[in-house]
Structures are given as C-alpha cells and as structure tokens.
Amino acid sequence: MNNSFLLRLGLVVIMVMHSVPSFVNGSVIAFGSEYLANEGFGFLGVPIAILIKLIHLISIYTLLTNKYIRPTVILNALILVGGIIMIHWKEGWYVVGGGRNGMEFNFLLLICFFSLLIPQKNKL
C-alpha cells in the first residue's frame, strides 16, 4: 500500500460524507433551491447542487480505482474553489477554534487533490 492509495482512500471517505447523506436526507435540494438560488443561480440552483454531489459520487469510484484522476482533481478543485469564494472566504481561515466555517478545510482538500497529480516514485 502506498501513500497515494492512503490519500485517495481518505478523500473517498470525505467524498462519501459530502454526497451520500445529502441525497439520502434531501439536503441537496435545499442547498440548490435555497442557497444557490438565492446566490444568483435561480432555477439552476438545484441542477447545479445535484451535479456537484454527483461529481463527488463519481469521484469515489475514480479515486478507488485510480482512474480518471486528472478530471477528478480538476472538477473537485472547481467545486472547492467555488465553495471558498461563495461561502468560506468571508468566514476567514479557521473551520473551528479561531473562527467558524472558514476555508482551511477546503484549502487542505485542494492540496490533497492536487498532490494526486504529482508522479509517485517508489523508494522501496
């Protein structure tokens, strides 16, 4: 087992928790119809919210199989940067402690995703 697998597995857990519950409890619809619609996306809010969560679901497969990593990184980076711009930037850096709902978690996820694009050399 290499570092890339562990990193991808960690990202899978996060993608599962960012997608599956929102489909099960219906919060994806509320996110689209309430938040995104009010942020200027109008009637496209719900389809965009569903698309975001579907990208997270598809990312679970791509990360587990180590296939289509570049498009997975790019799509998730767009989502994460969008989240920083729309939600987290105005809250500051810290998720907890020195603040609330800040951008540090999205920043770390971006670094984790982009690190998957760096070729791995086997040292053993």
Side-chain angles (χ1 to χ4, degrees):
M1 185 174 338
N2 61 29
N3 292 341
S4 172
F5 176 76
L6 289 175
L7 181 58
R8 288 184 288 110
L9 185 61
L11 288 168
V12 163
V13 171
I14 292 168
M15 292 297 103
V16 166
M17 296 312 296
H18 272 267
S19 59
V20 174
S22 63
F23 281 114
V24 172
N25 66 24
S27 64
V28 65
I29 303 300
F31 175 62
S33 64
E34 295 169 20
Y35 180 76
L36 290 177
N38 290 333
E39 288 294 312
F41 291 95
F43 70 93
L44 293 176
V46 171
I48 290 170
I50 292 171
L51 180 62
I52 289 168
K53 298 304 179 178
L54 285 175
I55 289 169
H56 288 165
L57 277 176
I58 293 166
S59 296
I60 295 165
Y61 170 78
T62 63
L63 290 165
L64 285 174
T65 61
N66 201 23
K67 295 182 178 181
Y68 310 107
I69 296 300
R70 185 172 307 278
T72 298
V73 169
I74 292 167
L75 290 171
N76 281 286
L78 291 170
I79 293 167
L80 292 165
V81 169
I84 288 172
I85 292 168
M86 293 179 65
I87 300 167
H88 304 293
W89 184 270
K90 61 186 166 206
E91 300 294 335
W93 179 256
Y94 299 102
V95 174
V96 296
R100 188 186 90 55
N101 206 23
M103 67 182 110
E104 69 178 324
F105 184 65
N106 278 33
F107 177 80
L108 179 59
L109 286 175
L110 282 166
I111 298 301
C112 291
F113 271 110
F114 280 117
S115 72
L116 295 175
L117 299 179
I118 299 170
Q120 300 293 310
K121 295 180 182 178
N122 293 330
K123 293 183 180 181
L124 297 177

